[in-house]
Amino acid sequence: MKSYQFGVDYYPEHWPKERWVTDAKMMRDMGIQIVRMAEFSWQKFEPREGEFHFEDLDEAIGILAKEGIDVILGTPTAAPPKWIIDLNPEIQPTDWHGHQRFFGSRHHDCQSNPAYRAHIRRFVTAFADHYAKNPAVVGWQVDNELGNSHGDLCYCDHCRDRFQGWLKDKYGAIDELNRAWGTAFWSQGYDDFSSIPAPKITAAWGVNPSHELDWKRFTSDLVCEFHQEQADILRAAAPEKWITHNLMGFSSKPSYYDLGEQLDFASHDQYPGGHFHARHDEYRADFHAAELDFIRAIKQKPFWVMEQQSGITGWDVLGRAPKPGQIPLWAMQSVAHGADTIVFFRWRSCAMGTEQYWHGILPHNGIPGRYHAEISAMMKQYTPLLKEIAGGVPNAEVAILRSYDQERAIGIQPHHPNHRYIQHLMTYYKALHRANIPVDFVGEMHDWSKYKVLIAPLQFLMTEEHLDKLRTYVERGGRLVVTWRSGIKDESNLCHTDGPVPVRFNALTGVTVDEYDCLRDCQGTVRWDGMDYKCSQWCDVLSASTAEPVAEYAHEFYAGTPAITRNQYGRGLTWYVGTTMGDGLADKFIAEICREAAIAPLMATPHGVEAVHRVKDDRTYLFLLNHNESVQTVDVSAEFTPWDGEPWTGEIGPLGVRVFVKG
Ligand code: GAL
């Protein structure tokens, strides 16, 4: 596969044709090698049913190809045109309240709707056939950010019917579903699959948690199947072209592990300064790092960023202006965590539509300004580096288990009002990040054997198969971390009743949970080696059988009982954490497990300076990323030399990047 380092998202249909040649030449001069186009342009390509007009796109591709720029085409199914909606208004999705949502933005579609699927098959077949032999088109993106734009996924009758079919395949007999969902509660028994509703808003707000969990699994499968249908058409027409998708970090509508199976490589959209965050003073580099590390987990290899922030962002309200140096810093953070290719969103700020203020490399007037200057300089400087490190990944000895199923179940019952699955994982990730300890994310299906430590928070739903895999990992010498709300339920979201919590986990953890306390509107204290640390949200009150208490609570009627334990099992051990740790406690905990597992941090850095590495063959590339707006002093080991040959003074400038190499 041909390699690319930098690209841009481009919407020629927003600009007069006379400008296209100028754009292509400017892109080439900057060092852009690849452009993504077309993912919202269905109406231009097919203004009436079966009448295809690819002439303009052909021309734009030709102009880019003349400058040596290749193209990724998005199938434009994220924005079905109005004539399709007029022909088949039922394509518009139905929300949780049972109300229809209407045309006028994008993703105004129900992904199970048969009429919509027929329109897609017709269009995508023509599109794929038309571009199959075009050598400038090197790959495809199906639709755009699947799982986005729908406030909630569709609850229409087609989706309900598909859900019923999915349930029938899963349970076979209605009695089995009634058992698995516990429908004896509140008189919810069903006589037939055909009477099961989509879980719309009920009189008491939500539905049976087992029903809701299956619905979430079904909608994930539906999105994957929606993608598959297009991917099959594209692959059949052009087997040598690759397929990727622009994923959205920790977004959880479809399982990216499942969707990833259909992709040649994963892509991701990275907007560190996005206008979505209310708190712009908050340090979020750790969260952005985590999302990148997670995207690397999907194919367990480097990925692309298909949309990297290139300017100030916003729709109706805006985020903060990226400060000088921050856009290159953010792009290089993506590279440091495993991106082989960075495609900036977008070439030019758009003069029309909802995203007028989601700025591009060029401002509305098309005259290069600061963003263009900074991005050009960064591309010139780092294109050779990206070529060199392509395929390299961090060498992580710690993994965090990110499970879509646990996230769904915890999302349905968070237990504490502020408890969120990803934030819980971030407690551990942030402590590792502060310590500059490389981390991989993994799923249930991955091989964990290479990791010295597996942090598996909230193993809430527990099947025999999953328990066996965790047990084997520990028996063979792994160090497992599990937390409160582990081993509680079966896979259909019913509580296990055949033993004390953490049911069936008792032997592995060496503890039982006698009772628990939900820390509503208050915090607790954990005492460890004579020091007091903050904890929150939840406290399991534990009895240790074979486990050794490591830290204890220092609050409430359970003061003096274990909060964190450690249990030898087979050749490995299991840590049990009965609460949500504050930052201080998490730092102490990570230091302790890493010391015990002989995992060394890459290096020590001041707060806000990330140290990240990628290993390619026998060379290690060390990235220092200074997210502070002040100069920082960093002690880099003498084994590393500056990659660019520029002398290292021991200081890294505000929002600066330095790369070093060893080997
Ligand atoms: C992404 C999306 C782009 C654009 C951008 C700015 O989520 O893929 O099409 O909408 O956000 O809002």
Side-chain angles (χ1 to χ4, degrees):
M1 187 179 138
K2 188 169 163 192
S3 89
Y4 304 89
Q5 287 70 50
F6 291 104
V8 76
D9 300 306
Y10 185 42
Y11 301 91
E13 67 275 23
H14 297 169
W15 301 101
K17 274 194 189 172
E18 303 77 68
R19 171 75 189 197
W20 294 359
V21 173
T22 310
D23 283 339
K25 287 191 187 308
M26 285 171 78
M27 287 177 195
R28 182 209 54 205
D29 290 349
M30 260 185 112
I32 298 279
Q33 304 145 323
I34 191 151
V35 157
R36 183 198 64 180
M37 297 195 288
E39 76 276 11
F40 299 111
S41 311
W42 194 341
Q43 196 259 337
K44 295 262 175 213
F45 303 144
E46 192 186 13
R48 278 160 294 279
E49 184 164 353
E51 193 182 311
F52 297 108
H53 289 283
F54 297 122
E55 305 81 3
D56 285 354
L57 186 59
D58 292 347
E59 195 178 333
I61 294 172
I63 289 170
L64 291 163
K66 217 163 147 208
E67 304 304 333
I69 297 171
D70 287 341
V71 168
I72 307 155
L73 289 181
T75 65
T77 54
K82 185 63 169 42
W83 65 261
I84 290 189
I85 302 300
D86 290 343
L87 272 178
N88 300 100
E90 72 280 13
I91 286 174
Q92 298 169 116
T94 301
D95 68 16
W96 189 51
H97 295 266
H99 300 149
Q100 200 168 29
R101 300 281 183 100
F102 301 104
F103 178 88
S105 58
R106 62 178 171 183
H107 270 144
H108 34 264
D109 52 67
C110 157
Q111 288 169 343
S112 77
N113 184 281
Y116 180 40
R117 292 293 191 93
H119 287 297
I120 287 178
R121 279 193 298 276
R122 179 193 64 253
F123 178 81
V124 174
T125 304
F127 192 58
D129 288 346
H130 187 83
Y131 288 107
K133 297 278 172 298
N134 188 326
V137 176
V138 292
W140 311 103
Q141 171 189 296
V142 170
D143 205 281
N144 188 72
E145 289 188 338
L146 287 169
N148 193 5
S149 302
H150 303 260
D152 37 29
L153 288 156
C154 184
Y155 291 77
C156 74
D157 291 352
H158 286 295
C159 287
R160 179 206 56 204
D161 294 351
R162 291 287 306 272
F163 181 45
Q164 291 169 353
W166 184 94
L167 292 168
K168 201 166 183 188
D169 287 347
K170 176 167 178 176
Y171 293 105
I174 196 68
D175 288 350
E176 183 48 26
L177 176 138
N178 281 319
R179 188 209 55 77
W181 283 12
T183 57
F185 185 77
W186 284 353
S187 207
Q188 287 170 354
Y190 297 101
D191 291 334
D192 195 81
F193 287 98
S194 63
S195 71
I196 297 170
K200 289 191 204 139
I201 186 169
T202 65
W205 198 254
V207 294
N208 175 339
S210 302
H211 185 163
E212 199 172 341
L213 179 60
D214 268 343
W215 173 259
K216 285 177 186 285
R217 291 167 172 155
F218 155 73
T219 52
S220 174
D221 287 356
L222 176 65
V223 172
C224 293
E225 186 252 353
F226 178 88
H227 184 278
Q228 184 79 61
E229 185 168 34
Q230 294 192 40
D232 287 348
I233 296 171
L234 297 168
R235 288 215 195 273
E240 74 296 344
K241 298 195 201 299
W242 41 256
I243 297 180
T244 188
H245 189 71
N246 57 336
L247 308 167
M248 299 170 287
F250 285 131
S251 169
S252 59
K253 291 260 167 65
S255 156
Y256 287 168
Y257 298 133
D258 292 345
L259 189 58
E261 286 175 16
Q262 302 174 35
L263 308 177
D264 292 282
F265 56 88
S267 296
H268 165 67
D269 294 348
Q270 181 80 346
Y271 292 107
H275 69 294
F276 314 108
H277 317 305
R279 296 262 329 262
H280 281 281
D281 52 344
E282 223 176 338
Y283 179 71
R284 288 181 59 89
D286 44 13
F287 187 78
H288 304 135
E291 290 205 299
L292 295 161
D293 284 344
F294 174 65
I295 295 295
R296 201 180 61 245
I298 291 161
K299 302 293 284 183
Q300 298 195 302
K301 66 176 190 184
F303 54 91
W304 286 33
V305 173
M306 196 56 92
E307 297 181 17
Q308 176 80 43
Q309 182 169 344
S310 65
I312 184 169
T313 50
W315 283 11
D316 42 352
V317 295
L318 279 74
R320 294 295 311 274
K323 304 183 200 256
Q326 210 160 25
I327 287 177
L329 170 68
W330 287 336
M332 290 308 290
Q333 186 189 30
S334 298
V335 171
H337 287 272
D340 274 355
T341 307
I342 303 288
V343 179
F344 286 95
F345 187 92
R346 53 187 150 169
W347 176 239
R348 182 169 172 182
S349 312
C350 187
M352 56 185 93
T354 307
E355 297 192 340
Q356 288 162 340
Y357 299 128
W358 203 280
H359 289 69
I361 296 176
L362 297 181
H364 291 108
N365 65 17
I367 300 169
R370 174 166 72 87
Y371 302 146
H372 180 274
E374 290 185 16
I375 294 170
S376 296
M378 184 208 63
M379 284 169 42
K380 296 239 153 37
Q381 184 178 3
Y382 288 118
T383 297
L385 174 75
L386 267 71
K387 285 189 176 152
E388 222 174 289
I389 61 172
V393 287
N395 183 11
E397 297 176 297
V398 181
I400 297 179
L401 180 59
R402 192 263 168 114
S403 157
Y404 283 90
D405 232 22
Q406 307 294 5
E407 182 175 2
R408 291 170 188 139
I410 289 290
I412 294 166
Q413 293 171 314
H415 291 66
H416 183 280
N418 302 333
H419 185 228
R420 301 286 174 275
Y421 177 82
I422 292 295
Q423 279 177 18
H424 194 127
L425 265 54
M426 284 303 295
T427 317
Y428 295 87
Y429 183 90
K430 281 161 118 178
L432 290 156
H433 188 259
R434 282 190 289 272
N436 296 317
I437 295 170
V439 186
D440 281 348
F441 283 93
V442 289
E444 293 93 334
M445 68 299 290
H446 292 136
D447 176 7
W448 312 322
S449 58
K450 75 170 245 215
Y451 300 105
K452 289 182 173 171
V453 172
L454 175 66
I455 300 176
L458 302 166
Q459 297 302 290
F460 188 43
L461 308 175
M462 187 52 57
T463 61
E464 282 306 323
E465 189 194 350
H466 186 53
L467 180 61
D468 265 359
K469 192 166 169 185
L470 291 168
R471 197 188 288 126
T472 307
Y473 171 76
V474 179
E475 268 167 6
R476 295 189 180 156
R479 294 159 187 86
L480 174 69
V481 177
V482 291
T483 68
W484 59 279
R485 296 286 86 186
S486 289
I488 306 298
K489 294 205 176 183
D490 69 12
E491 70 146 5
S492 64
N493 223 357
L494 303 183
C495 291
H496 285 301
T497 53
D498 50 348
V501 173
V503 192
R504 307 214 187 93
F505 242 141
N506 302 92
L508 199 53
T509 59
V511 295
T512 56
V513 178
D514 300 327
E515 52 179 312
Y516 32 74
D517 186 12
C518 183
L519 299 184
R520 297 292 297 258
D521 304 321
C522 61
Q523 291 198 322
T525 307
V526 169
R527 188 159 297 155
W528 191 344
D529 288 344
M531 292 278 291
D532 284 354
Y533 300 92
K534 289 209 163 47
C535 68
S536 64
Q537 297 183 335
W538 189 269
C539 294
D540 275 344
V541 181
L542 303 169
S543 297
S545 52
T546 54
E548 159 203 351
V550 171
E552 62 187 37
Y553 296 115
H555 68 274
E556 266 302 342
F557 63 91
Y558 40 90
T561 65
I564 301 174
T565 61
R566 184 178 171 282
N567 188 47
Q568 297 285 350
Y569 188 89
R571 303 212 304 276
L573 55 91
T574 306
W575 296 79
Y576 189 92
V577 182
T579 185
T580 300
M581 300 192 279
D583 284 353
L585 184 54
D587 286 341
K588 163 88 175 154
F589 180 76
I590 290 299
E592 201 53 42
I593 55 174
C594 289
R595 186 194 52 74
E596 198 268 339
I599 296 171
L602 288 179
M603 59 191 286
T605 52
H607 173 74
V609 178
E610 265 189 276
V612 191
H613 75 175
R614 283 178 71 169
V615 181
K616 169 85 180 286
D617 306 324
D618 47 5
R619 302 195 93 190
T620 301
Y621 296 82
L622 174 71
F623 293 76
L624 284 189
L625 306 158
N626 182 11
H627 296 279
N628 302 292
E629 290 174 56
S630 54
V631 175
Q632 299 291 321
T633 306
V634 188
D635 190 11
V636 177
S637 148
E639 326 167 277
F640 284 100
T641 52
W643 170 81
D644 54 11
E646 290 292 315
W648 169 239
T649 60
E651 287 191 337
I652 180 163
L655 304 171
V657 177
R658 286 303 300 265
V659 184
F660 301 81
V661 65
K662 173 174 90 174

